[in-house]
Coordinates of all heavy atoms in Angstrom, one line a residue:
L1 N 0.9 -1.2 0.1 CA 0.0 0.0 0.0 C 0.8 1.2 -0.1 O 1.9 1.3 0.7 CB -0.9 0.1 1.3 CG -1.8 -1.2 1.4 CD1 -2.7 -1.0 2.7 CD2 -2.6 -1.5 0.2
S2 N 0.4 2.2 -0.7 CA 1.2 3.5 -0.9 C 0.2 4.5 -0.4 O -0.9 4.6 -0.5 CB 1.7 3.8 -2.2 OG 2.5 2.8 -2.7
C3 N 0.9 5.6 0.3 CA 0.0 6.8 0.7 C 0.9 8.0 0.3 O 1.8 8.3 0.8 CB -0.1 6.8 2.2 SG -1.0 8.2 3.0
A4 N 0.3 8.6 -0.7 CA 0.9 9.9 -1.1 C 0.6 11.0 -0.2 O -0.7 11.3 -0.1 CB 0.5 10.2 -2.6
A5 N 1.6 11.7 0.3 CA 1.3 12.7 1.4 C 1.8 14.0 0.8 O 2.7 14.2 0.1 CB 2.0 12.4 2.5
S6 N 1.0 15.1 1.2 CA 1.4 16.4 0.9 C 0.9 17.4 2.1 O 0.0 17.0 2.9 CB 0.8 16.9 -0.3 OG -0.7 16.8 -0.3
G7 N 1.6 18.6 2.2 CA 1.3 19.5 3.1 C 1.9 19.4 4.5 O 1.4 20.0 5.4
F8 N 2.8 18.5 4.5 CA 3.6 18.4 5.8 C 5.0 17.9 5.5 O 5.4 17.3 4.4 CB 2.9 17.3 6.7 CG 3.2 15.9 6.4 CD1 4.0 15.0 7.2 CD2 2.4 15.3 5.3 CE1 4.1 13.9 6.9 CE2 2.7 14.0 5.0 CZ 3.5 13.2 5.8
S9 N 5.8 17.9 6.5 CA 7.1 17.5 6.5 C 7.3 16.2 7.2 O 6.6 16.1 8.2 CB 8.1 18.6 7.0 OG 9.4 18.0 7.2
F10 N 8.1 15.2 6.6 CA 8.2 14.1 7.4 C 9.0 14.2 8.6 O 8.9 13.4 9.5 CB 8.9 12.9 6.4 CG 8.0 12.4 5.5 CD1 7.7 13.0 4.3 CD2 7.4 11.2 5.8 CE1 6.8 12.4 3.4 CE2 6.6 10.5 4.8 CZ 6.3 11.2 3.7
D11 N 9.7 15.3 8.9 CA 10.5 15.5 10.0 C 9.6 16.0 11.1 O 8.8 16.9 11.0 CB 11.5 16.6 9.8 CG 12.4 16.8 11.0 OD1 12.7 15.8 11.7 OD2 12.9 18.0 11.1
G12 N 9.6 15.3 12.2 CA 8.9 15.6 13.4 C 7.4 15.2 13.5 O 6.6 15.5 14.4
Y13 N 7.0 14.3 12.6 CA 5.7 13.7 12.5 C 5.7 12.2 12.9 O 6.7 11.6 12.9 CB 5.1 13.9 11.2 CG 4.7 15.4 11.0 CD1 5.4 16.2 10.6 CD2 3.3 15.7 11.1 CE1 5.1 17.6 10.3 CE2 2.9 17.1 10.8 CZ 3.8 17.9 10.4 OH 3.4 19.3 10.2
S14 N 4.6 11.8 13.2 CA 4.3 10.3 13.3 C 3.4 9.8 12.2 O 2.4 10.5 11.7 CB 3.7 9.9 14.6 OG 4.6 10.2 15.7
I15 N 3.6 8.7 11.6 CA 2.8 8.1 10.6 C 2.3 6.8 11.0 O 2.8 6.1 11.9 CB 3.6 7.9 9.2 CG1 4.8 7.0 9.4 CG2 4.0 9.2 8.6 CD1 5.5 6.7 8.2
G16 N 1.0 6.4 10.5 CA 0.5 5.1 10.8 C -0.4 4.7 9.8 O -0.9 5.3 8.9
W17 N -0.7 3.3 10.0 CA -1.6 2.6 9.2 C -2.6 2.0 10.1 O -2.3 1.3 11.2 CB -1.0 1.5 8.3 CG -0.2 2.1 7.1 CD1 1.1 2.4 7.1 CD2 -0.8 2.4 5.8 NE1 1.4 2.8 5.8 CE2 0.2 2.8 5.0 CE3 -2.1 2.4 5.4 CZ2 0.1 3.3 3.7 CZ3 -2.2 2.7 4.0 CH2 -1.1 3.1 3.3
F18 N -3.9 2.2 9.7 CA -5.1 1.6 10.5 C -5.9 0.8 9.5 O -5.9 1.1 8.3 CB -5.8 2.7 11.2 CG -5.0 3.5 12.2 CD1 -4.1 4.4 11.8 CD2 -5.0 3.2 13.5 CE1 -3.3 5.2 12.7 CE2 -4.3 3.8 14.4 CZ -3.4 4.8 14.0
R19 N -6.7 -0.1 10.2 CA -7.7 -0.8 9.2 C -9.0 -1.0 10.0 O -9.1 -0.9 11.1 CB -7.2 -2.2 8.8 CG -6.9 -3.1 9.9 CD -6.3 -4.3 9.4 NE -6.0 -5.3 10.4 CZ -5.3 -6.5 10.3 NH1 -4.6 -6.7 9.2 NH2 -5.2 -7.4 11.3
Q20 N -10.0 -1.1 9.1 CA -11.3 -1.3 9.6 C -12.2 -2.3 8.8 O -12.3 -2.0 7.6 CB -12.1 0.0 9.8 CG -13.4 -0.1 10.5 CD -14.0 1.3 10.9 OE1 -13.7 2.3 10.2 NE2 -14.9 1.3 11.8
A21 N -12.8 -3.3 9.3 CA -13.5 -4.2 8.7 C -15.0 -3.8 8.9 O -15.4 -3.2 9.9 CB -13.2 -5.6 9.1
P22 N -15.9 -4.1 8.0 CA -17.4 -3.9 8.3 C -17.8 -4.4 9.7 O -17.6 -5.6 9.8 CB -18.1 -4.6 7.1 CG -17.1 -4.5 6.0 CD -15.7 -4.7 6.8
G23 N -18.5 -3.6 10.4 CA -19.0 -4.0 11.6 C -18.0 -4.1 12.8 O -18.3 -4.5 13.9
K24 N -16.8 -3.8 12.5 CA -15.8 -3.9 13.5 C -15.1 -2.5 13.7 O -15.2 -1.5 12.9 CB -14.7 -4.8 13.2 CG -15.2 -6.2 13.0 CD -14.0 -7.2 12.5 CE -14.4 -8.6 12.5 NZ -13.4 -9.4 12.0
E25 N -14.5 -2.2 14.9 CA -13.8 -0.9 15.1 C -12.6 -0.9 14.4 O -11.9 -1.9 14.1 CB -13.7 -0.8 16.6 CG -15.1 -0.7 17.3 CD -15.0 -0.2 18.8 OE1 -13.8 0.2 19.2 OE2 -15.8 -0.4 19.6
R26 N -12.1 0.3 14.2 CA -10.9 0.6 13.7 C -9.7 0.1 14.5 O -9.8 0.3 15.9 CB -10.6 2.1 13.4 CG -9.4 2.6 12.8 CD -9.2 4.1 12.8 NE -9.5 4.6 14.1 CZ -9.6 6.1 14.3 NH1 -9.6 6.7 13.3 NH2 -9.8 6.4 15.5
E27 N -8.8 -0.6 13.9 CA -7.6 -1.0 14.9 C -6.3 -0.5 14.2 O -6.1 -0.4 12.9 CB -7.6 -2.5 14.8 CG -7.4 -3.3 13.5 CD -7.3 -4.8 13.7 OE1 -7.0 -5.2 14.7 OE2 -7.5 -5.4 12.6

C-alpha cells in the first residue's frame, strides 16, 4: 500500500496505518 502525502514535512511527525472491517472498530 502506498500513501501519497502532501502538506507536511516528514520531520517531526508520526505516521500510521489503520484498518477497519465492516461491523468492526478501527484498529
